[in-house]
Amino acid sequence: MRHLSRGRKFGRKKGDRVSFRNGLLNNLILAGRVETTEARAKEIRPRLEKLVTIARKNNLSALRLL
């Protein structure tokens, strides 16, 4: 059964998928804008919003998490 399986695979293995997602997030944060597909954008949006929420705290522990 596929209970609680969430997220897209993009035809990659887990490690490749994680580094691919992290690369997209880093490029988006550094450049401010990234041209990508809608599926990829939908996949990184919740993770980016969580990073922004952590960054708003602006303290040492938040910086270490980021």
Side-chain angles (χ1 to χ4, degrees):
M1 287 189 265
R2 293 176 52 94
H3 294 296
L4 296 176
S5 56
R6 168 186 289 181
R8 293 168 177 84
K9 292 190 176 184
F10 298 119
R12 300 168 194 264
K13 294 183 178 178
K14 183 177 180 181
D16 297 336
R17 199 167 44 243
V18 169
S19 61
F20 170 71
R21 184 185 67 227
N22 290 340
L24 275 177
L25 284 170
N26 286 335
N27 291 337
L28 180 60
I29 290 169
L30 293 176
R33 183 178 188 143
V34 175
E35 187 173 333
T36 185
T37 64
E38 188 174 348
R40 290 176 178 178
K42 285 182 177 180
E43 185 65 25
I44 64 170
R45 183 176 179 176
R47 291 172 173 87
L48 181 67
E49 288 177 352
K50 287 180 183 178
L51 291 176
V52 169
T53 303
I54 292 171
R56 284 184 183 162
K57 293 179 183 175
N58 199 18
N59 58 20
L60 183 61
S61 62
L63 289 174
R64 287 178 176 168
L65 284 173
L66 294 175

